[in-house]
């Protein structure tokens, strides 16, 4: 018999995007393209790390996919959830964990979740149901022991640890049990154990049985080797383009085939970011090398497999497959 939690949990969703470009604007007109005509798909049950050097466009890509781009940004392209074009419903059916946590420091952990439950849940939700959800999340996120602890303020009257604060922010996003979660650098500022705890929780939510696994995208900054191994797929972003989408081990093999072998005992995440970064003093050579990697990925078997996923998920007919394949990974 399914548990109450399982039976209440919505089925997972597929997020797909095609020919996606993001522009910064000046006086209402696009003047700089930050994300350059990329396509991709993420299926239910996937925990995905979006990685890249500073300024690569990873946060811009994720906020565009989440339908949460700030003012002054123009998004063009096709983004869909289970084949449905994205509009304002994305904000209602997804959660977004911001890098900066915002709390009322005088509240306890439970008081914060009670307050957020009253704000976010349908007003017809009974008090009993709200409390059930809060209790469930306290247990799932490992916050039961600290539920009556005041949140406090980091650097002043800090009470909760950094890991507890991040798990509390995550719990608030889970109150509506969204099928799709976006997390902006959730492990930044955490020690390795706290980061591992949080990612393990995400992994468990992505791998729920009976097709109810969440689809979770995280921008993540220089994870450890152990942490990276917990992600099912990675999206490597470089200069607004896609340098790789797929399993971390497949990324290592692809980079090796292009003449960029990861040294033994070297953190793969550091290797990817270093390879895709713009080296001071060698900016032009770096840009040429990154362009070559993105171009090679765009014509690789990995890209073709991903492109077929996009075609399938967007319901594009056979006559459009060539167009999708030509633009799936950015301008080539």
């Amino acid at each position: 018999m399914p548990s109450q939690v399982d039976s209440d949990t919505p089925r997972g969703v597929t997020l797909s995007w095609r020919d996606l470009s993001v522009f910064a604007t000046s006086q209402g007109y696009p003047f700089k393209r930050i994300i350059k005509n990329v396509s991709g798909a993420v299926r239910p049950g996937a925990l995905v790390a979006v990685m890249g050097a500073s300024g690569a466009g990873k946060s811009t890509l994720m906020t565009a996919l989440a339908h949460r781009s700030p003012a002054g940004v123009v998004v063009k392209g096709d983004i869909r959830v289970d084949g449905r074009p994205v509009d304002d419903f994305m904000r209602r059916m997804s959660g977004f964990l911001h890098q900066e946590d915002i709390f009322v420091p005088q509240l306890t952990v439970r008081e914060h979740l009670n307050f957020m439950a009253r704000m976010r849940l349908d007003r017809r939700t009974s008090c009993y149901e709200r409390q059930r959800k809060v209790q469930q999340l306290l247990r799932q996120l490992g916050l039961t022991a600290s539920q009556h602890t005041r949140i406090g303020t980091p650097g002043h009257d800090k009470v909760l640890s950094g890991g507890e604060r991040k798990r509390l922010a995550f719990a608030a996003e889970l109150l509506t049990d969204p099928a799709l979660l976006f997390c902006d650098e959730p492990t930044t500022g955490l020690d390795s154990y706290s980061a591992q705890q949080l990612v393990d929780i995400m992994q468990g939510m992505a791998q729920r049985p009976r097709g109810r696994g969440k689809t979770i995208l995280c921008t993540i900054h220089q994870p450890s080797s152990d942490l990276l191994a917990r992600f099912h797929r990675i999206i490597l972003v470089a200069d607004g383009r896609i340098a790789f989408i797929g399993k971390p081990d497949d990324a290592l093999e692809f980079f090796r085939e292009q003449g960029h072998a990861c040294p033994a005992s070297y953190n793969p995440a550091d290797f990817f970011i270093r390879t895709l970064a713009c080296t001071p003093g060698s900016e032009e050579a770096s840009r040429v090398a990154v362009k070559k990697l993105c171009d090679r990925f765009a014509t690789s078997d990995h890209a073709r497999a991903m492109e077929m996923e996009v075609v399938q998920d967007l319901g594009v007919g056979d006559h459009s497959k060539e167009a999708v394949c030509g633009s799936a990974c950015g301008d080539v």
Side-chain angles (χ1 to χ4, degrees), residues 26 38 75 87 92 95 127 166 203 222 231 262 301 309 318:
S26 177
V38 301
V75 178
D87 55 27
R92 298 190 299 273
C127 179
K166 189 62 70 173
Q203 189 182 57
Q222 292 182 305
F231 287 88
C262 180
D301 290 341
E309 287 187 34
D318 289 342

Side-chain angles (χ1 to χ4, degrees), residues 159-170:
V159 180
L160 288 185
S161 69
E164 288 170 327
R165 290 175 65 89
K166 189 62 70 173
R167 295 202 306 275
L168 177 56
F170 193 53

Side-chain angles (χ1 to χ4, degrees), residues 3-6 8-9 109-110 113 128 130-147 167-168 170-171 174-175 197 201 205 208:
S3 68
Q4 181 67 33
V5 173
D6 283 341
D8 289 348
T9 300
V109 168
R110 178 177 277 276
L113 285 180
Y128 170 81
R130 286 200 306 270
Q131 289 303 310
R132 188 185 74 83
K133 284 181 176 288
V134 167
Q135 190 62 42
Q136 172 189 320
L137 288 169
L138 287 170
R139 183 176 64 253
Q140 283 184 325
L141 276 296
L143 293 168
T144 302
S146 56
Q147 62 180 305
R167 295 202 306 275
L168 177 56
F170 193 53
L174 293 172
L175 279 165
Q197 274 190 314
I201 290 169
M205 291 182 171
R208 281 175 173 169

Side-chain angles (χ1 to χ4, degrees), residues 46-90:
L47 178 60
V48 181
V50 183
M51 298 167 53
S54 296
K58 55 186 182 294
S59 292
T60 301
L61 173 62
M62 193 176 74
T63 53
L65 293 175
H67 200 62
R68 288 170 169 85
S69 294
V73 171
V74 173
V75 178
K76 295 186 177 182
D78 192 3
I79 305 172
R80 301 195 183 201
V81 173
D82 283 348
R84 177 184 175 187
V86 164
D87 55 27
D88 288 343
F89 79 83
M90 176 64 100

Side-chain angles (χ1 to χ4, degrees), residues 15-24 32-40 50 56-81 84-91 93-96 98 180-184 217 219 235 237 240 242:
L15 175 68
S16 304
W17 59 99
R18 178 190 180 200
D19 298 340
L20 180 67
S21 291
V22 181
F23 299 84
K32 180 182 180 182
R33 187 160 62 159
I34 306 170
I35 300 297
K36 303 172 181 177
N37 200 42
V38 301
S39 300
V50 183
K58 55 186 182 294
S59 292
T60 301
L61 173 62
M62 193 176 74
T63 53
L65 293 175
H67 200 62
R68 288 170 169 85
S69 294
V73 171
V74 173
V75 178
K76 295 186 177 182
D78 192 3
I79 305 172
R80 301 195 183 201
V81 173
R84 177 184 175 187
V86 164
D87 55 27
D88 288 343
F89 79 83
M90 176 64 100
R91 288 178 174 267
M93 61 83 62
S94 66
F96 196 103
H98 294 272
L180 184 56
L181 273 168
F182 300 93
C183 305
D184 188 12
L217 276 79
T219 57
I235 300 176
V237 184
I242 301 298

